[in-house]
Amino acid sequence: MSRALDRIGTWIGWAFFADLANGLALTFGYMFSKSVTMQYPDKEKWLPYSRYRGHHFLKRDEEGEIKCVACELCARICPCYCIEVIPYEDEKGNRRPAKFEIDMARCLFCGLCEDACPADAIALGQQYEFSSFSSRDLVIGRDDLLGKPGKAMTGGGVVAARLNTEQDVLVETSEPQGYNWWRNIRRT
Amino acid sequence: MELVVALGLIVFKVALLIAILLLLPLPLTWLERKIAGRMQQRMGPMRVGWHGLLQPVADGVKLLTKEDHIPAEADRFLFKLAPILALAPPFVVFVAVPFGESVSVLGTEITLYVSNMNVALLFVFAVIGIEVYGVIFGGWAANSKYAVLGSLRTCAQMISYEIPMGFAVIGVVMLAQSMSLLDIVRAQANVWNIVYQPVGFFVFFVAGLAESQRIPFDLAEAEGDLGAGFHTEYSGIRFAFFMVSEYAIMLLTSVLAVILFFGGWNGVLVPLPPLVWFVLKVAFFVYVFIWFRFTFPRYRYDQLMAIGWKVLLPLSMANIIITGVAFL
């Protein structure tokens, strides 16, 4: 009985274009939903998670000395050979890099240098806005690398595009689980 | 003196009509992209002007400054003629379309139509039939396989959908006892034709969708399989001509649907000026066109033909017969 009723209902729906009406109602509903666009360069930008692999930075130890021991393991493991390290011996007799250059134009941000480093001296930070008109400007030296921003403290949030994220920025997120990309997307 | 005034008035009306029709695609493209964006949870154009309001102007400037490219193997004369042939009919049709009764300015009654033809409906369909030349010339002259395929499809589509469209409005003509669009609107002063002619409206609207080559019947420019159909090879200002003509036909279909089935400038409940009612109704139909575009997929070619000949044509015929029987 119910099957017959179902069939009749299907036929009535077919005759009055119920499926088309369904589709129209869906798109109409979506028209009044919020957009998921992040207006990146204009208004908002994304603050990456702490695991994000952005621009490299070199770390200092407690005395403010560069941690790097110029072992060249990062240069060796780099799949695109974009790190160049030349060691020297400083006043205290420690091995330190005289030259530490990363060619960001060739780097693929795999993070292997970070993994290979025995002194925990190099890591990939949170900075991602370093595009340039000249690939020559993308070769970054030792002193610049020491000044680059580190890993994000929190992250996973949308902040105002003008906010300077060079230093560690704490973002107030209403969602404790991090930014929910799906919040405006209906899932049925 | 009177003759000069009358002539001046006609020239002024025609100029105003052309200006409006040429300028309306600008806000309409913006609106279409905005609505598309909202429906897909995007924002649409945002960067040129406030909420992208100047985006159509930027697009227009871009189209005007682009190279006007003509393919080497093209038939140059037909290639240049086609956009004009596509653009002219929608503009010409509006001569016969009334936008209201009349308004009095400075003590003189000014009618809101250029001419009140007694066979306006016939004129509209006859002129819209010419539109197909622009499509087929454009496709043929470009000498490109995509363009030819697109124009052949469009040609078949437009010719087969013109038939049910023509039959669908016969019911309206029977009800109004006149082919003048003005009389048809006047006949709907109390009850709109949609009440008596729901089937006629359905056939008319579906055929109108096909006539204006909008989704779900936009086989002319099925992007997935034909590049851009008959205007694949067009660029710059000639491409803009095709776009303007597409929007003008969309407007025309909306205007005709309002005049023939939704009481023209006759309002209900809310007492608004007749012209405002008319514009509101037309805007609603334009919205429906855009809404359909971002909801439905495209029909296959054989489905398109099946709908035209096996569904719409018998429906419109039955509509005529039933209307006739009811009249007797």
Side-chain angles (χ1 to χ4, degrees):
Chain A
M1 186 61 204
S2 72
R3 266 187 73 190
L5 274 179
D6 273 357
R7 188 168 289 178
I8 292 170
T10 313
W11 271 101
I12 291 173
W14 185 85
F16 288 96
F17 303 102
D19 42 354
L20 297 190
N22 263 342
L24 285 173
L26 186 77
T27 45
F28 193 72
Y30 262 104
M31 213 185 98
F32 295 103
S33 63
K34 279 176 112 180
S35 82
V36 293
T37 307
M38 177 164 56
Q39 291 172 274
Y40 164 50
D42 293 341
K43 288 184 179 158
E44 305 149 320
K45 69 175 171 187
W46 172 249
L47 195 68
Y49 293 102
S50 48
R51 61 170 185 265
Y52 182 77
R53 298 199 297 260
H55 199 299
H56 307 253
F57 65 101
L58 285 173
K59 296 180 193 168
R60 293 175 191 275
D61 58 15
E62 293 81 54
E63 287 114 53
E65 195 92 40
I66 187 167
K67 269 185 170 180
C68 176
V69 294
C71 62
E72 296 176 55
L73 276 178
C74 48
R76 195 56 69 80
I77 203 166
C78 181
C80 37
Y81 307 114
C82 67
I83 303 180
E84 190 187 355
V85 186
I86 296 176
Y88 81 111
E89 194 178 318
D90 69 352
E91 311 84 70
K92 296 178 199 159
N94 293 327
R95 189 180 154 114
R96 297 289 178 217
K99 181 183 178 193
F100 195 108
E101 271 186 3
I102 302 183
D103 189 351
M104 298 308 290
R106 273 157 64 185
C107 177
L108 53 81
F109 302 98
C110 59
L112 280 177
C113 47
E114 186 178 347
D115 293 346
C117 187
D120 188 27
I122 188 172
L124 275 69
Q126 59 169 299
Q127 191 193 13
Y128 56 85
E129 293 168 306
F130 49 89
S131 50
S132 162
F133 284 106
S134 153
S135 57
R136 216 163 285 141
D137 296 345
L138 288 169
V139 181
I140 311 287
R142 189 188 72 164
D143 298 328
D144 288 332
L145 283 171
L146 280 167
K148 286 290 175 190
K151 300 258 181 202
M153 282 297 125
T154 59
V158 175
V159 293
R162 282 159 196 274
L163 188 69
N164 182 19
T165 48
E166 294 291 295
Q167 267 60 54
D168 297 336
V169 187
L170 288 171
V171 194
E172 304 280 326
T173 41
S174 48
E175 294 118 5
Q177 304 298 318
Y179 191 81
N180 181 13
W181 280 111
W182 291 91
R183 67 202 161 125
N184 293 327
I185 298 177
R186 260 187 288 172
R187 279 171 295 178
T188 48
Chain B
M1 187 60 207
E2 272 187 6
L3 189 73
V4 173
V5 169
L7 263 178
L9 209 58
I10 288 178
V11 170
F12 173 73
K13 277 186 204 164
V14 170
L16 190 71
L17 205 60
I18 289 173
I20 290 176
L21 280 177
L22 274 178
L23 288 179
L24 256 183
L26 294 182
L28 279 181
T29 48
W30 177 81
L31 204 68
E32 178 149 16
R33 295 175 63 175
K34 258 331 203 195
I35 292 176
R38 304 292 335 174
M39 283 180 178
Q40 296 159 2
Q41 296 207 307
R42 296 181 288 115
M43 288 182 152
M46 282 297 278
R47 300 195 71 169
V48 193
W50 184 80
H51 276 245
L53 260 179
L54 295 178
Q55 185 72 47
V57 181
D59 289 349
V61 170
K62 187 198 89 173
L63 280 178
L64 285 177
T65 49
K66 278 225 166 177
E67 183 194 357
D68 179 21
H69 179 253
I70 299 179
E73 298 284 306
D75 183 328
R76 297 177 76 87
F77 175 68
L78 283 186
F79 193 82
K80 289 174 182 167
L81 186 69
I84 300 165
L85 271 182
L87 189 65
F91 280 70
V92 173
V93 163
F94 274 94
V95 167
V97 172
F99 298 94
E101 289 285 348
S102 59
V103 285
S104 62
V105 181
L106 302 172
T108 45
E109 287 281 300
I110 294 178
T111 50
L112 287 175
Y113 42 86
V114 179
S115 74
N116 178 21
M117 297 182 200
N118 53 358
V119 287
L121 203 52
L122 198 64
F123 176 79
V124 166
F125 282 103
V127 175
I128 272 301
I130 298 173
E131 170 76 14
V132 80
Y133 281 109
V135 172
I136 199 157
F137 282 180
W140 179 256
N143 211 345
S144 139
K145 53 183 173 290
Y146 296 123
V148 169
L149 275 175
S151 77
L152 283 180
R153 280 185 186 188
T154 315
C155 195
Q157 169 186 344
M158 289 179 85
I159 290 172
S160 33
Y161 275 75
E162 242 156 47
I163 298 163
M165 199 173 180
F167 279 143
V169 297
I170 287 180
V172 174
V173 174
M174 286 159 98
L175 282 177
Q177 308 264 322
S178 163
M179 282 191 106
S180 152
L181 291 174
L182 209 58
D183 289 341
I184 289 175
V185 176
R186 280 176 191 149
Q188 300 176 70
N190 299 317
V191 186
W192 295 355
N193 275 339
I194 182 73
V195 179
Y196 299 125
Q197 297 279 328
V199 177
F201 169 70
F202 171 75
V203 173
F204 177 84
F205 192 69
V206 175
L209 276 175
E211 277 295 283
S212 42
Q213 294 152 33
R214 301 279 300 184
I215 279 179
F217 302 110
D218 72 330
L219 289 180
E221 42 190 304
E223 295 97 336
D225 36 308
L226 284 184
F230 61 91
H231 53 59
T232 309
E233 301 293 343
Y234 281 91
S235 61
I237 187 67
R238 294 184 212 278
F239 175 73
F241 275 15
F242 277 118
M243 283 319 274
V244 171
S245 118
E246 191 188 319
Y247 277 99
I249 293 184
M250 189 171 103
L251 265 176
L252 176 76
T253 316
S254 310
V255 165
L256 281 183
V258 167
I259 287 180
L260 295 176
F261 295 96
F262 281 83
W265 47 87
N266 297 313
V268 278
L269 303 173
V270 197
L272 287 172
L275 199 61
V276 175
W277 259 114
F278 189 75
V279 170
L280 278 180
K281 287 179 195 171
V282 172
F284 171 75
F285 274 100
V286 170
Y287 175 75
V288 168
F289 268 84
I290 296 172
W291 186 12
F292 275 23
R293 169 158 181 196
F294 295 104
T295 303
F296 296 142
R298 181 182 306 124
Y299 278 106
R300 227 168 42 215
Y301 183 69
D302 58 323
Q303 290 171 329
L304 175 94
M305 284 297 148
I307 291 172
W309 292 103
K310 290 185 192 165
V311 180
L312 293 186
L313 190 64
L315 262 182
S316 57
M317 294 273 211
N319 186 46
I320 295 171
I321 294 167
I322 291 168
T323 314
V325 169
F327 249 92
L328 292 175

